[in-house]
Amino acid sequence: MSEKDTISIQLVREALLQSCAPGAATEEVLDKVGIDPALLETTDARVPATAYARLWRLLARRGDDEFFGMDPRKLKSGSLEFLCRCSMVQPSLAAGLTSGLSFLSLMLERMPAQLVRQQSLAEIVLLEDDEDPRRAFTYFTYWMIVHGVACWLAGRRIPILAIELRCPAPDFCDDYRVMFSENLRFDRPRTRMIFSADCLDLPIKRSPEELKRFLAHAPANILVKYRDPESLASRIKHDLRQLPAEHWPETEALAQRLCMSASTLRRRLAEEGQTYQGLKDSVRKELAIVWLAEPAISFAEIAARLGFADASSFYKAFRKWSGSNPGHYRSLILNEAD
């Protein structure tokens, strides 16, 4: 993991909240993992993701709980390993996720979960009985574990279309959006993660040696999805979100705006594993899934906002991005009574 990948100090505070006594004990823990305790008094400080991973491991060992003490039952040390072992022997990601979610549902008292497949979309739903929701950090830590293991099982990144949560939006969401999806919705009737059902058919082919390597680097290897917010790709996507799609610059104009040549722009994006077209498609997808959750916005209007010639072109592009047609996605998002 590159040291330029960073985590907000606010997530460090969240991790310490229920798993470490304040005062001298907190300072000792932070010193051990290489985080300056004085940073807790700031609002915008960031720490290396590797340091956050060391903090997670240390707190898990000390409390014998890999879930930061956020459930009445401890997720005892070794749970992540057992989760991977029971999932990796399954033939497909669908079977692996079902097995893993069953294990977590047994281990955690208040977070039973179910995998649901609905045509071209899939969702993992938390079947909570409590009237009051958990705090956002609890939900996102759960998704971090489940999604991180799912990506390892599949051997590829599983794109998340949306995450809905029962809790109110926390004061800080930036890292959650980078980690999971720009499409986070709060104060919803249920907590769920939505992704393309095509991923469920991916085969699982993991060996004991690969498991050893995965566990040796965990949880750092499920935190690497925190991308550098100062990267060129992140800055370009931020700028694209501020403009109507019809005003998005071509490559040459963008390079001139960034005070570099077009070839340099392509090379620097390639170094980050990106292309300009890929960034534009990514922003279009982010905007589309947000607008599809608003029933008053027609498909034709969404297509126009995204710069497509017509709704048919938008349909084809959305299916390519997500594996689902926009009508089915809108139906799933809006059908909150089910």
Side-chain angles (χ1 to χ4, degrees), residues 28 35-36 66 86 104 120 180-181 186 243 265 306:
E28 179 200 0
I35 297 176
D36 183 355
E66 297 179 347
C86 69
L104 289 175
S120 59
F180 300 104
S181 169
F186 297 91
L243 295 170
L265 172 61
L306 296 177

Side-chain angles (χ1 to χ4, degrees), residues 105-122:
S105 296
L106 286 172
M107 295 298 292
L108 299 173
E109 179 179 320
R110 295 181 179 173
M111 303 191 78
Q114 181 181 17
L115 174 66
V116 180
R117 186 170 191 160
Q118 299 199 37
Q119 300 178 43
S120 59
L121 294 172

Side-chain angles (χ1 to χ4, degrees), residues 12 18 25 69 121 123 166 249 255:
V12 174
Q18 289 178 247
L121 294 172
E123 55 181 349
R166 292 176 61 220

Side-chain angles (χ1 to χ4, degrees), residues 310-329:
D310 50 42
S312 176
S313 299
F314 166 58
Y315 263 63
K316 292 177 182 177
F318 190 82
R319 187 164 188 83
K320 177 182 176 182
W321 299 332
S322 67
S324 169
N325 69 61
H328 182 214
Y329 179 81

Side-chain angles (χ1 to χ4, degrees), residues 1-3 5-7 33 47-55 220 223:
M1 179 188 301
S2 170
E3 283 291 319
D5 291 313
T6 59
I7 305 296
V33 301
V47 302
T50 46
Y52 188 81
R54 290 194 295 269
L55 174 66
L223 289 168

Side-chain angles (χ1 to χ4, degrees), residues 80-287:
L80 177 61
E81 178 178 355
F82 190 86
L83 169 64
C84 293
R85 288 190 182 279
C86 69
S87 300
M88 65 183 282
V89 298
Q90 302 300 325
S92 67
L93 185 60
L97 273 174
T98 299
S99 178
L101 293 173
S102 296
F103 169 71
L104 289 175
S105 296
L106 286 172
M107 295 298 292
L108 299 173
E109 179 179 320
R110 295 181 179 173
M111 303 191 78
Q114 181 181 17
L115 174 66
V116 180
R117 186 170 191 160
Q118 299 199 37
Q119 300 178 43
S120 59
L121 294 172
E123 55 181 349
I124 297 173
V125 186
L126 292 181
L127 309 173
E128 301 174 273
D129 293 330
D130 293 348
E131 181 177 345
D132 296 327
R134 320 297 295 276
R135 77 184 204 262
F137 181 75
T138 303
Y139 292 127
F140 283 119
T141 301
Y142 183 89
W143 294 131
M144 194 181 303
I145 294 171
V146 170
H147 185 242
V149 171
C151 292
W152 175 74
L153 290 171
R156 50 165 280 192
R157 168 83 171 174
I158 307 296
I160 297 172
L161 296 177
I163 286 182
E164 297 187 339
L165 301 104
R166 292 176 61 220
C167 64
D171 293 335
F172 180 80
C173 280
D174 293 355
D175 281 24
Y176 296 144
R177 289 193 172 92
V178 172
M179 178 78 179
F180 300 104
S181 169
E182 286 287 333
N183 191 25
L184 306 179
R185 304 176 72 212
F186 297 91
D187 292 310
R188 312 312 298 171
R190 54 191 169 181
T191 296
R192 58 181 177 168
M193 180 175 74
I194 302 171
F195 55 99
S196 172
D198 291 346
C199 299
L200 297 178
D201 299 323
L202 294 171
I204 296 176
K205 296 180 180 179
R206 287 298 188 181
S207 67
E209 291 73 23
E210 289 173 314
L211 176 60
K212 288 180 182 179
R213 288 196 296 270
F214 177 73
L215 294 174
H217 295 94
N221 46 9
I222 63 176
L223 289 168
V224 294
K225 294 180 290 297
Y226 282 101
R227 298 176 294 278
D228 178 12
E230 298 304 316
S231 70
L232 179 61
S234 295
R235 286 185 285 141
I236 291 174
K237 288 178 68 174
H238 175 270
D239 292 344
L240 291 177
R241 295 186 192 105
Q242 313 309 310
L243 295 170
E246 64 266 24
H247 293 157
W248 287 356
E250 297 298 328
T251 302
E252 294 286 346
L254 175 63
Q256 186 176 12
R257 183 178 301 178
L258 295 171
C259 301
M260 64 180 73
S261 67
S263 59
T264 299
L265 172 61
R266 294 188 187 96
R267 176 179 55 78
R268 288 189 54 186
L269 285 177
E271 289 172 353
E272 298 179 7
Q274 304 284 354
T275 66
Y276 184 39
Q277 184 60 50
L279 295 179
K280 290 190 288 185
D281 287 344
S282 177
V283 173
R284 283 191 174 102
K285 174 184 171 183
E286 291 171 7
L287 295 173

